[in-house]
Amino acid sequence: MSGARERLAGRLSDAGYAAGWRAVRMLPEPAARALFDRAGERAAGRDGRGVRQLRANLRVVTGGRLTEPELAELTRRAMRSYARYWQEAFRLPTLTAERIRDDSDVPGIEHIARARAEGRGVVVALPHSGNWDAAGAWFTDWLDGPFMTVAERLRPESLYRRFLDYRESLGFRVVPLTGGERPSSEVLREWLADGGVACLLVDRNLGAGGVPVTFFGRTATMPGGAALLADRTGAALIPAVCQFSGAGWRMCVHPEVPVHGPGRLKDRVPTAMQQVADAFAAGIAERPEDWHVLGRIWPDVPPDPPRAEAAS
């Protein structure tokens, strides 16, 4: 794509998000839910590359036990769940703290409370599941203050700023993954060493590094930064998995994963991230339709072929 076309596509994308934010907030909630539910169904029906990769990913998550029609139905539910995430993203800033508190269930929060009571920082490691923004809005209310998170730098810059403003309006403190005044790892280390809380999405490795883990029985790569930050700052590393629950939300918090201790750091970090991966797998297996990963996770699991090719 040429530079001019890329800039135009970026402006159109930003304008589309801006229009969506305005329009969806004006709709009654039942109407917005129905609209996005249909959009998820249509996206599943179009069977684009992302949907075909999601179907292949869900085949792994379910251990190959589903028939193809059952897997197709699970994929449709997953796309409706993904569409619900976006519907709620557009509307979330309009919801009251009381609504979010009343409709959220957070089993295991005592694991985070214990680390906080000890005066330690906390690294909450999450997968792309459920509505992590809604969980974050609940979390800032529970913390009575912000937590820190990292955002991938979107293009164009105006779209990145729009998402930055959105998450900061929910009470998050956001640092860019790249292109910030200081490296994000440095900012996070200071925040955690001072007893702060950071929430990091770690089920997809966006960089060149990462550590190998076994995830649903296959080798995948996850970023090791969450474990490394916990080790260097004394923070607790705690996995959590978000899910939808009726009209509300659920965040299942798992026990602390040990990182500190004897042995070489290069061994302790992969061991810790394997335990994070195991916690993710347990939570995702409960509601696989709420895991919104339309990209490649396992090197040996490409997207399913288009339906015409699969049928031939």
Side-chain angles (χ1 to χ4, degrees), residues 72-120:
E73 173 56 28
L74 176 60
T75 306
R76 283 193 291 271
R77 295 202 309 272
M79 289 305 296
R80 291 198 298 268
S81 176
Y82 185 46
R84 173 177 171 174
Y85 166 79
W86 283 107
Q87 181 265 132
E88 292 180 350
F90 290 137
R91 294 180 59 86
L92 199 55
T94 69
L95 301 184
T96 65
E98 290 77 14
R99 161 75 188 278
I100 293 171
R101 279 197 299 268
D102 290 346
D103 288 351
S104 296
D105 178 30
V106 189
I109 190 63
E110 67 272 10
H111 302 303
I112 296 176
R114 184 179 304 115
R116 297 273 292 165
E118 295 169 354
R120 302 165 65 200

Tab-separated table of all heavy atoms in Angstrom, residues 72-120:
chain	number	residue	atom	x	y	z
A	72	ALA	N	-18.309	-25.034	14.019
A	72	ALA	CA	-18.832	-23.855	13.333
A	72	ALA	C	-19.771	-23.061	14.246
A	72	ALA	O	-19.737	-21.827	14.272
A	72	ALA	CB	-19.560	-24.264	12.058
A	73	GLU	N	-20.590	-23.759	15.018
A	73	GLU	CA	-21.497	-23.083	15.954
A	73	GLU	C	-20.711	-22.390	17.055
A	73	GLU	O	-21.034	-21.263	17.450
A	73	GLU	CB	-22.482	-24.086	16.559
A	73	GLU	CG	-23.356	-23.537	17.672
A	73	GLU	CD	-24.155	-22.306	17.276
A	73	GLU	OE1	-24.483	-22.157	16.076
A	73	GLU	OE2	-24.440	-21.486	18.174
A	74	LEU	N	-19.661	-23.033	17.579
A	74	LEU	CA	-18.816	-22.403	18.590
A	74	LEU	C	-18.153	-21.151	18.017
A	74	LEU	O	-18.067	-20.122	18.698
A	74	LEU	CB	-17.759	-23.388	19.079
A	74	LEU	CG	-16.724	-22.835	20.070
A	74	LEU	CD1	-17.397	-22.320	21.339
A	74	LEU	CD2	-15.676	-23.903	20.403
A	75	THR	N	-17.707	-21.221	16.780
A	75	THR	CA	-17.081	-20.061	16.141
A	75	THR	C	-18.081	-18.926	15.995
A	75	THR	O	-17.736	-17.750	16.193
A	75	THR	CB	-16.490	-20.452	14.781
A	75	THR	OG1	-15.597	-21.560	14.939
A	75	THR	CG2	-15.737	-19.291	14.150
A	76	ARG	N	-19.324	-19.238	15.655
A	76	ARG	CA	-20.352	-18.191	15.567
A	76	ARG	C	-20.567	-17.540	16.926
A	76	ARG	O	-20.684	-16.316	17.039
A	76	ARG	CB	-21.666	-18.777	15.031
A	76	ARG	CG	-21.685	-19.018	13.536
A	76	ARG	CD	-23.090	-19.280	13.020
A	76	ARG	NE	-23.610	-20.558	13.490
A	76	ARG	CZ	-23.437	-21.707	12.857
A	76	ARG	NH1	-22.720	-21.743	11.730
A	76	ARG	NH2	-23.938	-22.830	13.323
A	77	ARG	N	-20.623	-18.345	17.986
A	77	ARG	CA	-20.790	-17.773	19.325
A	77	ARG	C	-19.577	-16.899	19.681
A	77	ARG	O	-19.721	-15.859	20.332
A	77	ARG	CB	-20.966	-18.873	20.372
A	77	ARG	CG	-22.235	-19.687	20.211
A	77	ARG	CD	-22.642	-20.368	21.509
A	77	ARG	NE	-21.583	-21.135	22.146
A	77	ARG	CZ	-21.310	-22.402	21.885
A	77	ARG	NH1	-22.014	-23.066	20.954
A	77	ARG	NH2	-20.336	-23.035	22.517
A	78	ALA	N	-18.398	-17.347	19.281
A	78	ALA	CA	-17.188	-16.585	19.571
A	78	ALA	C	-17.204	-15.238	18.849
A	78	ALA	O	-16.794	-14.217	19.412
A	78	ALA	CB	-15.953	-17.386	19.176
A	79	MET	N	-17.679	-15.208	17.625
A	79	MET	CA	-17.752	-13.944	16.898
A	79	MET	C	-18.820	-13.025	17.499
A	79	MET	O	-18.648	-11.800	17.520
A	79	MET	CB	-18.025	-14.199	15.408
A	79	MET	CG	-16.839	-14.791	14.663
A	79	MET	SD	-15.315	-13.808	14.819
A	79	MET	CE	-15.816	-12.284	14.008
A	80	ARG	N	-19.905	-13.611	17.992
A	80	ARG	CA	-20.897	-12.778	18.687
A	80	ARG	C	-20.298	-12.222	19.977
A	80	ARG	O	-20.541	-11.067	20.351
A	80	ARG	CB	-22.156	-13.583	18.985
A	80	ARG	CG	-22.969	-13.942	17.745
A	80	ARG	CD	-24.399	-14.336	18.115
A	80	ARG	NE	-24.450	-15.521	18.966
A	80	ARG	CZ	-24.576	-16.762	18.516
A	80	ARG	NH1	-24.640	-16.985	17.207
A	80	ARG	NH2	-24.628	-17.785	19.349
A	81	SER	N	-19.505	-13.034	20.676
A	81	SER	CA	-18.837	-12.576	21.893
A	81	SER	C	-17.849	-11.458	21.570
A	81	SER	O	-17.765	-10.452	22.297
A	81	SER	CB	-18.121	-13.756	22.555
A	81	SER	OG	-17.383	-13.362	23.683
A	82	TYR	N	-17.116	-11.614	20.484
A	82	TYR	CA	-16.155	-10.591	20.078
A	82	TYR	C	-16.884	-9.291	19.721
A	82	TYR	O	-16.448	-8.195	20.095
A	82	TYR	CB	-15.358	-11.116	18.891
A	82	TYR	CG	-14.227	-10.224	18.429
A	82	TYR	CD1	-13.346	-9.655	19.341
A	82	TYR	CD2	-14.020	-9.988	17.076
A	82	TYR	CE1	-12.292	-8.849	18.909
A	82	TYR	CE2	-12.980	-9.198	16.628
A	82	TYR	CZ	-12.125	-8.624	17.554
A	82	TYR	OH	-11.089	-7.831	17.125
A	83	ALA	N	-17.996	-9.410	19.015
A	83	ALA	CA	-18.789	-8.229	18.679
A	83	ALA	C	-19.328	-7.566	19.950
A	83	ALA	O	-19.396	-6.334	20.035
A	83	ALA	CB	-19.945	-8.612	17.751
A	84	ARG	N	-19.703	-8.382	20.932
A	84	ARG	CA	-20.166	-7.814	22.198
A	84	ARG	C	-19.055	-7.003	22.854
A	84	ARG	O	-19.322	-5.928	23.426
A	84	ARG	CB	-20.628	-8.924	23.147
A	84	ARG	CG	-20.963	-8.406	24.536
A	84	ARG	CD	-21.495	-9.484	25.449
A	84	ARG	NE	-21.599	-8.996	26.821
A	84	ARG	CZ	-22.133	-9.682	27.828
A	84	ARG	NH1	-22.623	-10.905	27.608
A	84	ARG	NH2	-22.181	-9.154	29.035
A	85	TYR	N	-17.816	-7.490	22.791
A	85	TYR	CA	-16.712	-6.716	23.357
A	85	TYR	C	-16.690	-5.316	22.747
A	85	TYR	O	-16.557	-4.304	23.461
A	85	TYR	CB	-15.372	-7.419	23.118
A	85	TYR	CG	-14.206	-6.495	23.385
A	85	TYR	CD1	-13.787	-6.242	24.687
A	85	TYR	CD2	-13.565	-5.837	22.329
A	85	TYR	CE1	-12.748	-5.356	24.934
A	85	TYR	CE2	-12.526	-4.948	22.579
A	85	TYR	CZ	-12.126	-4.706	23.869
A	85	TYR	OH	-11.105	-3.819	24.114
A	86	TRP	N	-16.806	-5.230	21.419
A	86	TRP	CA	-16.738	-3.922	20.766
A	86	TRP	C	-17.953	-3.067	21.094
A	86	TRP	O	-17.829	-1.855	21.286
A	86	TRP	CB	-16.569	-4.096	19.258
A	86	TRP	CG	-15.174	-4.470	18.904
A	86	TRP	CD1	-14.712	-5.683	18.497
A	86	TRP	CD2	-14.027	-3.622	19.006
A	86	TRP	NE1	-13.352	-5.643	18.320
A	86	TRP	CE2	-12.901	-4.395	18.620
A	86	TRP	CE3	-13.842	-2.291	19.364
A	86	TRP	CZ2	-11.620	-3.862	18.593
A	86	TRP	CZ3	-12.557	-1.764	19.335
A	86	TRP	CH2	-11.467	-2.545	18.960
A	87	GLN	N	-19.123	-3.663	21.162
A	87	GLN	CA	-20.312	-2.900	21.546
A	87	GLN	C	-20.124	-2.291	22.922
A	87	GLN	O	-20.431	-1.106	23.145
A	87	GLN	CB	-21.537	-3.826	21.504
A	87	GLN	CG	-22.854	-3.160	21.861
A	87	GLN	CD	-23.207	-3.345	23.336
A	87	GLN	OE1	-23.564	-2.393	24.029
A	87	GLN	NE2	-23.112	-4.568	23.826
A	88	GLU	N	-19.589	-3.080	23.842
A	88	GLU	CA	-19.379	-2.570	25.195
A	88	GLU	C	-18.247	-1.555	25.247
A	88	GLU	O	-18.282	-0.618	26.058
A	88	GLU	CB	-19.118	-3.731	26.152
A	88	GLU	CG	-20.340	-4.610	26.353
A	88	GLU	CD	-20.115	-5.769	27.304
A	88	GLU	OE1	-18.950	-6.009	27.682
A	88	GLU	OE2	-21.099	-6.429	27.670
A	89	ALA	N	-17.231	-1.739	24.388
A	89	ALA	CA	-16.147	-0.761	24.345
A	89	ALA	C	-16.686	0.617	23.969
A	89	ALA	O	-16.286	1.632	24.549
A	89	ALA	CB	-15.077	-1.205	23.347
A	90	PHE	N	-17.610	0.660	23.003
A	90	PHE	CA	-18.185	1.936	22.607
A	90	PHE	C	-19.053	2.550	23.703
A	90	PHE	O	-19.142	3.762	23.827
A	90	PHE	CB	-19.025	1.761	21.334
A	90	PHE	CG	-18.197	1.466	20.098
A	90	PHE	CD1	-18.599	0.496	19.197
A	90	PHE	CD2	-17.018	2.157	19.824
A	90	PHE	CE1	-17.860	0.220	18.057
A	90	PHE	CE2	-16.270	1.887	18.697
A	90	PHE	CZ	-16.689	0.920	17.802
A	91	ARG	N	-19.693	1.714	24.525
A	91	ARG	CA	-20.651	2.201	25.513
A	91	ARG	C	-20.106	2.271	26.937
A	91	ARG	O	-20.722	2.904	27.801
A	91	ARG	CB	-21.890	1.291	25.517
A	91	ARG	CG	-22.705	1.313	24.251
A	91	ARG	CD	-23.906	0.373	24.370
A	91	ARG	NE	-24.763	0.748	25.488
A	91	ARG	CZ	-25.740	1.650	25.422
A	91	ARG	NH1	-25.977	2.274	24.288
A	91	ARG	NH2	-26.469	1.912	26.488
A	92	LEU	N	-18.984	1.631	27.194
A	92	LEU	CA	-18.516	1.478	28.570
A	92	LEU	C	-18.340	2.800	29.320
A	92	LEU	O	-18.701	2.882	30.510
A	92	LEU	CB	-17.209	0.676	28.582
A	92	LEU	CG	-16.788	0.029	29.895
A	92	LEU	CD1	-17.883	-0.877	30.450
A	92	LEU	CD2	-15.503	-0.776	29.693
A	93	PRO	N	-17.802	3.852	28.683
A	93	PRO	CA	-17.644	5.103	29.439
A	93	PRO	C	-18.966	5.708	29.916
A	93	PRO	O	-18.954	6.574	30.796
A	93	PRO	CB	-16.943	6.032	28.436
A	93	PRO	CG	-16.239	5.117	27.501
A	93	PRO	CD	-17.160	3.942	27.357
A	94	THR	N	-20.082	5.280	29.363
A	94	THR	CA	-21.381	5.830	29.784
A	94	THR	C	-21.978	5.052	30.955
A	94	THR	O	-22.981	5.493	31.528
A	94	THR	CB	-22.387	5.814	28.618
A	94	THR	OG1	-22.742	4.457	28.305
A	94	THR	CG2	-21.806	6.491	27.382
A	95	LEU	N	-21.395	3.889	31.302
A	95	LEU	CA	-21.942	3.080	32.382
A	95	LEU	C	-21.465	3.599	33.727
A	95	LEU	O	-20.324	4.026	33.876
A	95	LEU	CB	-21.531	1.613	32.220
A	95	LEU	CG	-21.945	0.924	30.924
A	95	LEU	CD1	-21.544	-0.551	30.973
A	95	LEU	CD2	-23.440	1.060	30.670
A	96	THR	N	-22.332	3.549	34.715
A	96	THR	CA	-21.978	4.030	36.040
A	96	THR	C	-21.106	3.006	36.768
A	96	THR	O	-21.133	1.808	36.465
A	96	THR	CB	-23.232	4.299	36.880
A	96	THR	OG1	-23.913	3.047	37.103
A	96	THR	CG2	-24.165	5.279	36.186
A	97	ALA	N	-20.354	3.503	37.750
A	97	ALA	CA	-19.546	2.605	38.576
A	97	ALA	C	-20.432	1.606	39.303
A	97	ALA	O	-20.057	0.442	39.488
A	97	ALA	CB	-18.717	3.412	39.576
A	98	GLU	N	-21.633	2.037	39.700
A	98	GLU	CA	-22.559	1.141	40.392
A	98	GLU	C	-22.983	-0.005	39.485
A	98	GLU	O	-23.053	-1.155	39.925
A	98	GLU	CB	-23.789	1.909	40.870
A	98	GLU	CG	-23.537	2.874	42.003
A	98	GLU	CD	-22.857	4.156	41.544
A	98	GLU	OE1	-22.808	4.421	40.314
A	98	GLU	OE2	-22.348	4.886	42.416
A	99	ARG	N	-23.268	0.302	38.227
A	99	ARG	CA	-23.664	-0.747	37.281
A	99	ARG	C	-22.532	-1.757	37.108
A	99	ARG	O	-22.761	-2.977	37.108
A	99	ARG	CB	-24.024	-0.109	35.937
A	99	ARG	CG	-24.022	-1.056	34.738
A	99	ARG	CD	-25.215	-1.990	34.694
A	99	ARG	NE	-25.060	-2.986	33.649
A	99	ARG	CZ	-25.333	-2.777	32.351
A	99	ARG	NH1	-25.784	-1.600	31.953
A	99	ARG	NH2	-25.174	-3.731	31.464
A	100	ILE	N	-21.334	-1.270	36.961
A	100	ILE	CA	-20.202	-2.167	36.763
A	100	ILE	C	-19.958	-3.009	38.012
A	100	ILE	O	-19.704	-4.218	37.935
A	100	ILE	CB	-18.951	-1.369	36.364
A	100	ILE	CG1	-19.158	-0.760	34.961
A	100	ILE	CG2	-17.706	-2.259	36.371
A	100	ILE	CD1	-18.088	0.215	34.543
A	101	ARG	N	-20.069	-2.402	39.197
A	101	ARG	CA	-19.896	-3.166	40.442
A	101	ARG	C	-20.971	-4.239	40.574
A	101	ARG	O	-20.692	-5.390	40.905
A	101	ARG	CB	-19.954	-2.225	41.653
A	101	ARG	CG	-18.679	-1.485	41.948
A	101	ARG	CD	-18.689	-0.911	43.358
A	101	ARG	NE	-19.769	0.037	43.567
A	101	ARG	CZ	-19.680	1.345	43.384
A	101	ARG	NH1	-18.536	1.868	42.981
A	101	ARG	NH2	-20.703	2.138	43.614
A	102	ASP	N	-22.225	-3.856	40.327
A	102	ASP	CA	-23.340	-4.778	40.535
A	102	ASP	C	-23.296	-5.960	39.575
A	102	ASP	O	-23.744	-7.059	39.929
A	102	ASP	CB	-24.675	-4.040	40.373
A	102	ASP	CG	-24.939	-3.068	41.506
A	102	ASP	OD1	-24.234	-3.145	42.539
A	102	ASP	OD2	-25.830	-2.201	41.350
A	103	ASP	N	-22.787	-5.749	38.364
A	103	ASP	CA	-22.834	-6.785	37.334
A	103	ASP	C	-21.503	-7.504	37.143
A	103	ASP	O	-21.312	-8.210	36.154
A	103	ASP	CB	-23.289	-6.184	35.999
A	103	ASP	CG	-24.768	-5.828	36.006
A	103	ASP	OD1	-25.460	-6.201	36.967
A	103	ASP	OD2	-25.237	-5.170	35.053
A	104	SER	N	-20.582	-7.326	38.096
A	104	SER	CA	-19.272	-7.977	38.003
A	104	SER	C	-19.106	-8.992	39.125
A	104	SER	O	-19.492	-8.743	40.264
A	104	SER	CB	-18.139	-6.943	38.076
A	104	SER	OG	-18.170	-6.071	36.972
A	105	ASP	N	-18.515	-10.122	38.773
A	105	ASP	CA	-18.202	-11.186	39.734
A	105	ASP	C	-16.704	-11.442	39.628
A	105	ASP	O	-16.194	-11.680	38.517
A	105	ASP	CB	-19.008	-12.435	39.389
A	105	ASP	CG	-18.699	-13.605	40.322
A	105	ASP	OD1	-18.367	-13.346	41.491
A	105	ASP	OD2	-18.799	-14.760	39.874
A	106	VAL	N	-15.998	-11.371	40.752
A	106	VAL	CA	-14.539	-11.484	40.714
A	106	VAL	C	-14.071	-12.516	41.744
A	106	VAL	O	-13.534	-12.173	42.802
A	106	VAL	CB	-13.871	-10.113	40.956
A	106	VAL	CG1	-12.355	-10.204	40.700
A	106	VAL	CG2	-14.489	-9.045	40.066
A	107	PRO	N	-14.264	-13.804	41.450
A	107	PRO	CA	-13.751	-14.822	42.373
A	107	PRO	C	-12.229	-14.831	42.392
A	107	PRO	O	-11.587	-14.677	41.351
A	107	PRO	CB	-14.308	-16.130	41.792
A	107	PRO	CG	-14.552	-15.835	40.342
A	107	PRO	CD	-14.934	-14.396	40.279
A	108	GLY	N	-11.670	-14.968	43.571
A	108	GLY	CA	-10.222	-15.026	43.707
A	108	GLY	C	-9.558	-13.678	43.945
A	108	GLY	O	-8.324	-13.608	44.005
A	109	ILE	N	-10.340	-12.612	44.102
A	109	ILE	CA	-9.735	-11.291	44.294
A	109	ILE	C	-8.867	-11.254	45.546
A	109	ILE	O	-7.966	-10.418	45.675
A	109	ILE	CB	-10.841	-10.208	44.355
A	109	ILE	CG1	-10.230	-8.800	44.297
A	109	ILE	CG2	-11.715	-10.380	45.574
A	109	ILE	CD1	-9.500	-8.483	43.026
A	110	GLU	N	-9.080	-12.205	46.452
A	110	GLU	CA	-8.281	-12.225	47.676
A	110	GLU	C	-6.791	-12.448	47.388
A	110	GLU	O	-5.933	-12.046	48.178
A	110	GLU	CB	-8.788	-13.306	48.640
A	110	GLU	CG	-8.607	-14.739	48.170
A	110	GLU	CD	-9.768	-15.255	47.329
A	110	GLU	OE1	-10.646	-14.430	46.952
A	110	GLU	OE2	-9.791	-16.467	47.051
A	111	HIS	N	-6.458	-13.053	46.243
A	111	HIS	CA	-5.051	-13.252	45.903
A	111	HIS	C	-4.360	-11.911	45.648
A	111	HIS	O	-3.201	-11.705	46.038
A	111	HIS	CB	-4.916	-14.158	44.679
A	111	HIS	CG	-5.542	-15.503	44.856
A	111	HIS	ND1	-5.179	-16.349	45.870
A	111	HIS	CD2	-6.532	-16.148	44.151
A	111	HIS	CE1	-5.905	-17.467	45.789
A	111	HIS	NE2	-6.723	-17.360	44.762
A	112	ILE	N	-5.081	-11.003	44.993
A	112	ILE	CA	-4.530	-9.667	44.757
A	112	ILE	C	-4.534	-8.871	46.054
A	112	ILE	O	-3.569	-8.163	46.369
A	112	ILE	CB	-5.330	-8.942	43.655
A	112	ILE	CG1	-5.184	-9.693	42.321
A	112	ILE	CG2	-4.864	-7.497	43.507
A	112	ILE	CD1	-6.016	-9.119	41.188
A	113	ALA	N	-5.606	-9.001	46.830
A	113	ALA	CA	-5.697	-8.269	48.092
A	113	ALA	C	-4.556	-8.643	49.032
A	113	ALA	O	-3.997	-7.783	49.735
A	113	ALA	CB	-7.049	-8.547	48.755
A	114	ARG	N	-4.173	-9.917	49.034
A	114	ARG	CA	-3.101	-10.368	49.925
A	114	ARG	C	-1.772	-9.704	49.560
A	114	ARG	O	-1.047	-9.215	50.441
A	114	ARG	CB	-2.973	-11.890	49.854
A	114	ARG	CG	-1.945	-12.473	50.830
A	114	ARG	CD	-1.890	-13.996	50.733
A	114	ARG	NE	-3.209	-14.580	50.948
A	114	ARG	CZ	-3.898	-15.258	50.040
A	114	ARG	NH1	-3.393	-15.442	48.812
A	114	ARG	NH2	-5.079	-15.769	50.326
A	115	ALA	N	-1.461	-9.675	48.275
A	115	ALA	CA	-0.208	-9.048	47.843
A	115	ALA	C	-0.220	-7.552	48.149
A	115	ALA	O	0.791	-6.981	48.575
A	115	ALA	CB	0.011	-9.290	46.349
A	116	ARG	N	-1.371	-6.915	47.950
A	116	ARG	CA	-1.478	-5.486	48.246
A	116	ARG	C	-1.287	-5.226	49.734
A	116	ARG	O	-0.644	-4.251	50.128
A	116	ARG	CB	-2.854	-4.984	47.796
A	116	ARG	CG	-3.096	-5.091	46.297
A	116	ARG	CD	-2.604	-3.888	45.559
A	116	ARG	NE	-3.406	-2.718	45.896
A	116	ARG	CZ	-3.037	-1.462	45.630
A	116	ARG	NH1	-1.883	-1.235	45.048
A	116	ARG	NH2	-3.812	-0.448	45.943
A	117	ALA	N	-1.869	-6.098	50.561
A	117	ALA	CA	-1.732	-5.928	52.015
A	117	ALA	C	-0.283	-6.057	52.454
A	117	ALA	O	0.125	-5.473	53.469
A	117	ALA	CB	-2.603	-6.945	52.745
A	118	GLU	N	0.506	-6.815	51.699
A	118	GLU	CA	1.934	-6.973	52.001
A	118	GLU	C	2.767	-5.814	51.473
A	118	GLU	O	3.988	-5.800	51.649
A	118	GLU	CB	2.437	-8.286	51.396
A	118	GLU	CG	1.809	-9.533	52.020
A	118	GLU	CD	2.127	-10.796	51.238
A	118	GLU	OE1	2.735	-10.695	50.150
A	118	GLU	OE2	1.756	-11.896	51.716
A	119	GLY	N	2.111	-4.860	50.805
A	119	GLY	CA	2.817	-3.713	50.268
A	119	GLY	C	3.549	-3.980	48.976
A	119	GLY	O	4.420	-3.196	48.565
A	120	ARG	N	3.220	-5.069	48.302
A	120	ARG	CA	3.904	-5.438	47.060
A	120	ARG	C	3.144	-4.924	45.849
A	120	ARG	O	1.930	-4.733	45.879
A	120	ARG	CB	4.021	-6.958	46.966
A	120	ARG	CG	4.762	-7.593	48.133
A	120	ARG	CD	4.515	-9.087	48.160
A	120	ARG	NE	5.077	-9.763	46.996
A	120	ARG	CZ	4.692	-10.959	46.581
A	120	ARG	NH1	3.721	-11.606	47.211
A	120	ARG	NH2	5.262	-11.516	45.538
